[in-house]
Amino acid sequence: MLKKRNIIIIGLLVIIIGGVTIFKVKDTSSKNASEKTLTVKKDTITNSISASGKIQADIKVDLKFQTSGELVYVGVKEGDKIEKWQVIAQLDQRELQRKLLKALRDYSKERWDFEQDKTVTYKDVFVTDTVKRILEKNQFDLDKSIADVEIADIALKYSALVSPISGIVTSIDTPIANINITPSNASFTVVDPNSLTFKADIDESDISNIKEGQEVLITLDAYPDKEIKGIVSSIGFVSETTSGGGNGFPIKIKLPENEDLKYKVGMNGDIKIIIKEIDNVISIPTTAITKENGKKFIFVKERDKKIKKEITTGYETDEYVEIKTGLSPGDKVIVE
């Protein structure tokens, strides 16, 4: 009985020891499997800033009539190209012409009355206070009639809606003629397609690295396979709240010539601004470096052994670090 009991105990011990051994082997193999290595070579370290934004127009006008009337002519439609000073719409001028004619007649009458009163009054030897007041009133009436003529003339000129810029008609509020309109409606929007810029918000921690004239690489969602080169044309002085809730400063990037109107207002995209580049250096991911007592170390694989090496570093970005000493091309660095 005792012998049988000893055999059971020995069997249990064998099972336990075997299980521990298997666990250790599995654990070691999983650790080895999780280690990722990188073969060291000389490359270029690039430090850049990325941001998102969209295309907007720097030169854009919203045109509205300054007076009410019947809209009798609409000479454009959305998408039309127009020239500077081109008439794009017009109100009925007949009523405005009649108002101007009436104002001119009133002015002529007031002018004649003023001259007559002035001639008769100054024949008196003494100019009394009453006479002075009559002259002043006549002068006021004459001034008012002159203002009425000027207003009627301006209204007649404003009956034709003229574009002060060349561009493309992008929006028409009231595209149909022969209806009465007021200054609050019948608006026309014209955009200069050669004034398009890409606007993006740069985080306040990065804005000090942005300068006017810097080259920018733009990738538009509409053309994902083409990288567009632009130039920083202006940097905002006042920060804005970004879509992520942070603080950012708006920058404008001048786009290349808009051939075939391929760049359009509202197109979204991403930008990349290269801050610094260092060529022909050894670099590794920052995740591969450990620190101990103020020193920096990495682990390399040599003949399936894990070797710890001290290194010195140089230029550093968010992702990569320049290695000055401690590594050579061909070394296999454990990065994870």
Side-chain angles (χ1 to χ4, degrees), residues 279-324:
D279 296 324
N280 199 32
V281 295
I282 292 176
S283 65
I284 61 172
T286 55
T287 55
I289 298 175
T290 59
K291 295 180 181 180
E292 294 178 17
N293 301 321
K295 296 180 180 181
K296 296 178 181 179
F297 298 90
I298 48 91
F299 291 92
V300 297
K301 274 290 186 72
E302 293 183 2
R303 297 178 182 177
D304 293 330
K305 290 184 179 180
K306 192 173 181 180
I307 308 299
K308 184 178 181 181
K309 284 190 174 183
E310 184 179 351
I311 57 169
T312 58
T313 60
Y315 188 70
E316 185 173 344
T317 70
D318 290 338
E319 296 179 353
Y320 290 92
V321 181
E322 176 190 3
I323 305 301
K324 293 282 193 180

Side-chain angles (χ1 to χ4, degrees), residues 11-214:
L12 288 173
L13 288 173
V14 169
I15 292 172
I16 292 170
I17 293 170
V20 171
T21 305
I22 291 169
F23 174 77
K24 285 185 176 180
V25 169
K26 285 185 176 180
D27 183 58
T28 304
S29 62
S30 65
K31 284 183 178 180
N32 290 334
S34 67
E35 290 178 350
K36 294 183 180 180
T37 60
L38 172 71
T39 302
V40 174
K41 64 178 180 178
K42 290 193 173 183
D43 208 341
T44 300
I45 292 183
T46 301
N47 189 10
S48 63
I49 295 172
S50 299
S52 299
K54 64 173 54 181
I55 293 177
Q56 65 176 21
D58 281 352
I59 302 177
K60 170 186 172 183
V61 292
D62 293 314
L63 305 174
K64 291 184 179 181
F65 286 101
Q66 303 299 308
T67 184
S68 302
E70 183 183 357
L71 185 65
V72 296
Y73 169 73
V74 178
V76 295
K77 61 182 182 297
E78 288 187 12
D80 282 356
K81 294 180 182 179
I82 63 172
E83 299 298 327
K84 188 176 183 179
W85 308 128
Q86 180 177 330
V87 176
I88 61 177
Q90 190 166 315
L91 299 177
D92 187 356
Q93 293 185 336
R94 290 174 296 179
E95 183 179 353
L96 297 172
Q97 287 170 342
R98 285 194 295 270
K99 287 181 179 179
L100 177 59
L101 182 60
K102 181 180 180 300
L104 286 169
R105 286 173 179 169
D106 291 343
Y107 165 74
S108 298
K109 180 180 178 300
E110 291 293 340
R111 184 74 187 181
W112 188 84
D113 291 343
F114 177 78
E115 293 296 339
Q116 286 297 108
D117 290 344
K118 185 177 179 182
T119 302
V120 173
T121 302
Y122 276 104
K123 287 181 180 179
D124 298 338
V125 178
F126 299 103
V127 179
T128 63
D129 290 341
T130 302
V131 173
K132 285 182 180 179
R133 284 196 294 273
I134 292 172
L135 288 175
E136 288 175 356
K137 180 181 181 302
N138 289 342
Q139 183 66 58
F140 293 151
D141 291 340
L142 181 62
D143 291 343
K144 179 180 178 301
S145 65
I146 292 172
D148 290 340
V149 171
E150 291 175 344
I151 291 171
D153 183 54
I154 290 171
L156 186 61
K157 290 178 180 177
Y158 281 168
S159 66
L161 201 61
V162 178
S163 174
I165 65 170
S166 297
I168 297 173
V169 180
T170 60
S171 174
I172 302 177
D173 184 39
T174 307
I176 304 171
N178 301 318
I179 61 174
N180 290 319
I181 60 102
T182 64
S184 63
N185 55 26
S187 63
F188 297 74
T189 302
V190 181
V191 170
D192 182 353
N194 294 315
S195 72
L196 301 187
T197 56
F198 190 92
K199 178 182 175 291
D201 289 326
I202 302 298
D203 191 90
E204 61 180 327
S205 62
D206 294 323
I207 195 64
S208 60
N209 294 312
I210 307 298
K211 302 289 185 294
E212 289 187 11
Q214 268 181 318

Side-chain angles (χ1 to χ4, degrees), residues 226-265:
K226 184 176 181 181
E227 212 167 44
I228 304 162
K229 289 184 179 180
I231 299 294
V232 176
S233 59
S234 68
I235 302 170
F237 185 72
V238 179
S239 67
E240 298 178 349
T241 302
T242 64
S243 57
N247 249 10
F249 287 84
I251 66 169
K252 290 183 180 179
I253 301 152
K254 183 175 178 56
L255 295 170
E257 187 177 349
N258 196 5
E259 298 176 356
D260 303 323
L261 302 180
K262 60 184 177 182
Y263 307 134
K264 304 182 189 301
V265 175

